[in-house]
């Protein structure tokens, strides 16, 4: 069962029900997970329609890929200032 | 002039309270956990509707809602006998839930034009909740009707057992003539019963469920062939005949033997602590 908590929010997995078919699952999910205004929309998806990765280790990052992270570029302005200063020094300005 | 209003409201409230109580007996025992929550929620809705009806009565008569719900003698209740029948098995509870909620939809539709402002506002509010009850009941009926033979057979038996009682939901209210004259009630119960019988026969025909009403149907009813060739009950020539069977009389305070245990259970807390505020 995927629930949306507000108009602009993403659907998020929020529980599961056992039901004979999608219509029944929607009816049951409504009662089981929307009793206290928890959201404004609802999806149900059969477990068998969800495809999952067979090998989770594929998600591990083996080598250093720090360049893929924004945080790795935090000091780029400072680096640029240092490089410009060095360039001026070499040119004897 | 308010006597007939109180009479109508008492019948409506008692239907919801007593059926809500019967539904609530499934809490913890429904066929699966999801249905347990769903059916308990429907039970809560019905009891909530009863409370809303009782509070209109209380505002008219100056009475107390708790006393109206739990402080009366069994003979003072005016619910239809259908509502107080034992649950028996899930098939019966489902058949009753389905019959009742279709009857209630017809009844509330009829009450939309009531001259009583508070009641009209309440009817509009309740119809929103009752929409889910109907979807829930219809979804179950469809699946069991089209499912394996054992469940289908149990369902057919259950409908047969509950059907006559269900028509008695439209047994006229006490003082109904005056209620119509005052505008509290717009559509007479006899007319609503005709609509109900038509609607149920139509749905059962669509579901391909044969009707075995002859078991307990009154002698004045006749049977007509539906499009599927099954026999369905017709409510007499003009639909005015009030079938006389043991499901009738609830509106006049007649109670079935099943009511006693329900009343004992339902009112035990109230009786144990007289005057307590909850």
């Amino acid at each position: 069962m995927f629930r949306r908590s507000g108009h602009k929010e993403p659907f998020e997995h929020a529980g599961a029900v056992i039901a004979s078919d999608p219509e029944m699952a929607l009816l049951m999910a409504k009662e089981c997970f929307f009793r206290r205004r928890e959201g404004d929309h609802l999806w149900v998806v059969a477990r068998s329609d969800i495809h999952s990765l067979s090998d989770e280790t594929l998600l591990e990052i083996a080598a250093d890929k720090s360049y893929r992270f924004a945080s790795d570029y935090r000091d780029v302005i400072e680096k640029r200032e240092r490089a410009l200063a060095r360039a001026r020094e070499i040119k004897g300005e | 002039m308010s006597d007939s209003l109180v009479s109508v409201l008492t019948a409506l409230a008692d239907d919801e309270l007593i059926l809500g109580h019967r539904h609530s007996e499934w809490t913890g025992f429904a066929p699966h956990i999801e249905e347990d929550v769903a059916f308990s929620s429907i039970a809560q809705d019905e009891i909530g509707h009863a409370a809303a009806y009782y509070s209109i009565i209380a505002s008219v008569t100056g009475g107390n809602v708790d006393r109206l719900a739990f402080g009366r003698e069994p003979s003072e209740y005016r619910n239809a006998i259908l509502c107080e029948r034992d649950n028996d098995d899930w098939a019966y509870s489902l058949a009753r839930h389905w019959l009742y909620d279709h009857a209630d939809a017809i009844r509330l539709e009829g009450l939309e034009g009531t001259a009583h402002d508070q009641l009209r506002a309440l009817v509009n509010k309740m119809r929103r909740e009752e929409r889910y009850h109907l979807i829930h009941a219809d979804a179950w009926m469809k699946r069991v009707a089209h499912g394996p033979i054992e469940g289908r057979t149990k369902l057919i038996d259950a409908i047969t057992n509950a059907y006559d009682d269900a028509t008695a939901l439209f047994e006229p209210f006490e003082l109904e003539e005056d209620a119509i004259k005052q505008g509290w009630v717009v559509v007479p119960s006899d007319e609503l019963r005709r609509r109900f019988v038509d609607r149920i026969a139509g749905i059962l025909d669509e579901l391909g469920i044969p009707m075995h009403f002859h078991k307990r149907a009154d002698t004045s009813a006749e049977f007509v062939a539906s499009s599927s060739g099954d026999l369905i009950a017709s409510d007499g020539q003009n639909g005015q005949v009030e079938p006389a069977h043991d499901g009738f009389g609830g509106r006049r305070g007649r109670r079935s033997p099943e009511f006693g245990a329900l009343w004992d259970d339902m009112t035990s807390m109230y009786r144990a602590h007289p005057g307590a505020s909850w």
Side-chain angles (χ1 to χ4, degrees):
Chain A
M1 191 281 288
F2 295 83
R3 182 165 64 198
R4 193 177 72 179
S5 57
H7 180 56
K8 289 182 174 168
E9 302 299 319
F11 281 81
E12 287 177 342
H13 182 245
V17 291
I18 295 175
S20 56
D21 51 75
E23 189 197 356
M24 216 59 184
L26 284 167
L27 288 177
M28 296 300 150
K30 179 227 173 247
E31 275 310 328
C32 292
F33 299 105
F34 288 80
R35 292 169 57 79
R36 297 168 192 88
R37 296 171 203 235
E38 289 91 340
D40 71 349
H41 214 340
L42 158 66
W43 288 344
V44 291
V45 179
R47 203 175 282 270
S48 59
D49 286 338
I50 295 180
H51 305 276
S52 69
L53 201 60
S54 57
D55 180 2
E56 290 161 60
T57 62
L58 282 172
L59 299 178
E60 288 169 13
I61 295 176
D64 175 17
K65 310 268 184 187
S66 56
Y67 54 84
R68 289 183 178 171
F69 294 86
S71 59
D72 207 46
Y73 299 89
R74 218 175 293 150
D75 56 352
V76 72
I77 292 170
E78 200 186 308
K79 274 183 184 163
R80 181 168 176 273
E81 291 303 326
R82 279 209 306 272
L84 287 173
R86 180 114 192 279
R88 282 196 293 272
E89 200 181 294
I90 293 166
K91 284 203 234 162
E93 283 173 10
Chain B
M1 129 180 189
S2 67
D3 284 357
S4 62
L5 175 67
V6 170
S7 160
V8 170
L9 290 173
T10 303
L12 297 174
D14 289 351
D15 276 359
E16 300 272 297
L17 177 70
I18 302 301
L19 186 66
H21 185 85
R22 278 296 185 221
H23 281 354
S24 79
E25 290 175 352
W26 278 106
T27 301
F29 303 95
H32 55 97
I33 183 72
E34 289 84 353
E35 183 56 30
D36 203 295
V37 176
F39 208 59
S40 300
S41 178
I42 290 172
Q44 283 181 330
D45 289 344
E46 305 296 24
I47 292 169
H49 296 168
Y53 283 128
Y54 289 133
S55 63
I56 299 183
I57 301 175
S59 72
V60 172
T61 64
N64 170 281
V65 173
D66 284 339
R67 204 205 74 78
L68 286 168
F70 305 122
R72 284 177 293 157
E73 292 302 312
S75 62
E76 294 177 83
Y77 286 80
R78 289 294 178 270
N79 58 285
I81 287 174
L82 172 80
C83 304
E84 72 200 40
R85 296 285 193 207
D86 285 336
N87 277 306
D88 195 15
D89 61 4
W90 179 250
Y92 179 78
S93 294
L94 170 60
R96 169 166 59 184
H97 160 44
W98 177 74
L99 288 163
Y100 180 84
D101 277 305
H102 275 283
D104 202 31
I106 288 168
R107 187 159 71 181
L108 291 177
E109 202 182 283
L111 277 172
E112 271 191 330
T114 174
H116 195 271
D117 293 342
Q118 232 181 318
L119 177 59
R120 195 169 53 248
L122 174 62
V123 164
N124 286 326
K125 212 169 78 182
M126 285 189 302
R127 287 193 76 193
R128 284 205 296 276
E129 268 181 1
E130 296 293 353
R131 200 162 61 104
Y132 173 78
H133 296 184
L134 269 184
I135 296 172
H136 175 270
D138 284 339
W140 261 98
M141 284 287 290
K142 205 165 91 189
R143 279 153 189 81
V144 181
H146 296 158
I149 191 74
E150 187 189 352
R152 187 181 153 81
T153 307
K154 283 186 177 178
L155 183 64
I156 292 169
D157 288 348
I159 296 167
T160 308
N161 285 336
Y163 178 81
D164 285 347
D165 287 356
T167 63
L169 285 162
F170 298 108
E171 177 184 352
F173 301 111
E174 286 175 312
L175 308 177
E176 179 163 318
E177 264 179 46
D178 185 64
I180 290 171
K181 207 159 69 189
Q182 305 288 346
W184 313 139
V185 168
V186 186
V187 189
S189 293
D190 285 337
E191 166 59 21
L192 292 178
R193 187 166 66 243
R194 222 177 354 253
R195 292 180 194 175
F196 174 68
V197 168
D198 281 352
R199 178 158 162 175
I200 291 303
I203 303 174
L204 287 178
D205 196 24
E206 272 170 39
L207 290 173
I209 291 187
M211 312 268 279
H212 294 138
F213 295 161
H214 53 277
K215 260 199 200 166
R216 277 174 40 186
D218 71 295
T219 48
S220 67
E222 56 178 356
F223 292 86
V224 294
S226 69
S227 62
S228 66
D230 294 325
L231 290 178
I232 58 175
S234 88
D235 194 15
Q237 285 292 351
N238 52 11
Q240 298 285 359
V241 184
E242 189 178 306
H245 56 73
D246 67 356
F248 266 77
R251 298 282 184 243
R252 296 186 299 273
R254 198 174 76 76
R255 302 272 58 98
S256 70
E258 284 120 304
F259 190 82
L262 181 150
W263 183 86
D264 267 350
D265 183 36
M266 187 181 76
T267 62
S268 61
M269 192 63 80
Y270 183 83
R271 284 179 291 120
H273 305 279
S277 69
W278 301 91

